[in-house]
Amino acid sequence: MPFKTPSKTSEYIRSILPSESDESVQRILRYADENMIPVLLPETAAFLRQVVMMVAPKKALEIGTAIGYSGHIILGESNCHLYTIEADEKSLSIANEFFSASGYKDRVTTFLGDANEIVPLFSGEFDFIFLDGPKTRYVQYLPYLKRMLCEGGVLLCDNVLFNGMVSGEVELVKKKATIVNALDLFLREITADEELVSSVLPVGDGVSLSIKRKKA
């Protein structure tokens, strides 16, 4: 599908990235293209793949399953069990079909519902968390995600610069002010949090990468 290219740099990066070789992921991308469903930007998908390879998680949490594209990347680059939450029933149904067709059914546990209600109920620890859900909720999820993240675990969040509006590179659209203000608060909290070592990177629509410090 036609991806928005916010800059010449993004356009260049996308032009040199190799085409997707995994047939399971190719099917998802074709479906997204045919049905005009937004998925991870190409450079964000490449970054997610790298992070998962480096972390090599055994237990991963994803907020925002959509149709399973990012979930396939996480599962394809690790041997983890993925727990993933999606609020839209149709999207989750499609994702489940893709997970089954790809042979990942036994390695995925899906949850249908509002992550704001589901996340606080989770117990145990995760060594990798990918946050790509409702942007206004990021800051609300943070205390729970920190609790669930194991020492040395990684939290990766997408769309944190929100079309350049959070940084001020792009003029704020008034109707998006609530989202932008919430993301700004979220970024200020994670970068100031002494339990986390965080970076904000201009990859795709902006990502934040946080590692939970190990206790001395």
Side-chain angles (χ1 to χ4, degrees):
M1 64 188 300
F3 292 104
K4 178 167 49 183
T5 52
S7 67
K8 283 291 183 182
T9 298
S10 295
E11 187 176 356
Y12 170 72
I13 291 171
R14 294 174 194 181
S15 74
I16 63 173
L17 287 174
S19 300
E20 178 58 59
S21 59
D22 187 306
E23 291 184 5
S24 297
V25 179
Q26 287 177 358
R27 287 195 294 270
I28 297 173
L29 290 174
R30 282 196 297 269
Y31 184 92
D33 183 56
E34 292 166 0
N35 294 275
M36 295 300 293
I37 297 173
V39 293
L40 288 183
L41 297 174
E43 62 268 43
T44 307
F47 187 71
L48 171 62
R49 181 171 278 112
Q50 283 185 304
V51 172
V52 172
M53 290 176 67
M54 288 188 288
V55 176
K58 298 300 181 185
K59 186 180 178 184
L61 171 65
E62 176 184 47
I63 300 176
T65 316
I67 60 171
Y69 177 44
S70 52
H72 272 70
I73 293 174
I74 295 169
L75 290 162
E77 299 297 345
S78 72
N79 293 316
C80 77
H81 190 95
L82 175 65
Y83 298 80
T84 182
I85 304 168
E86 174 57 46
D88 184 74
E89 185 173 1
K90 181 178 179 181
S91 294
L92 189 60
S93 176
I94 295 166
N96 280 325
E97 290 178 11
F98 281 128
F99 287 135
S100 294
S102 304
Y104 290 144
K105 184 178 179 180
D106 293 339
R107 291 175 53 203
V108 183
T109 302
T110 59
F111 297 87
L112 173 64
D114 186 343
N116 208 41
E117 299 175 356
I118 296 172
V119 168
L121 302 178
F122 268 86
S123 60
E125 290 187 326
F126 296 87
D127 39 13
F128 179 68
I129 299 175
F130 182 52
L131 177 56
D132 191 20
K135 312 311 166 192
T136 57
R137 303 280 182 85
Y138 279 23
V139 71
Q140 297 175 31
Y141 298 150
L142 186 56
Y144 302 108
L145 301 184
K146 278 178 53 183
R147 172 177 57 81
M148 292 187 288
L149 198 62
C150 68
E151 292 183 16
V154 171
L155 168 64
L156 178 64
C157 309
D158 194 21
N159 304 116
V160 297
L161 295 179
F162 202 70
N163 301 316
M165 292 185 212
V166 175
S167 66
E169 183 177 355
V170 174
E171 185 178 354
L172 175 65
V173 177
K174 287 185 178 180
K175 65 180 180 179
K176 302 294 185 181
T178 300
I179 296 174
V180 171
N181 291 335
L183 286 170
D184 176 67
L185 179 59
F186 170 75
L187 292 177
R188 292 180 186 278
E189 288 205 9
I190 62 167
T191 53
D193 195 312
E194 294 184 355
E195 290 185 62
L196 302 173
V197 179
S198 300
S199 296
V200 181
L201 306 168
V203 176
D205 194 27
V207 298
S208 65
L209 181 68
S210 303
I211 303 173
K212 188 172 181 178
R213 289 184 184 274
K214 295 182 179 180
K215 295 179 181 178

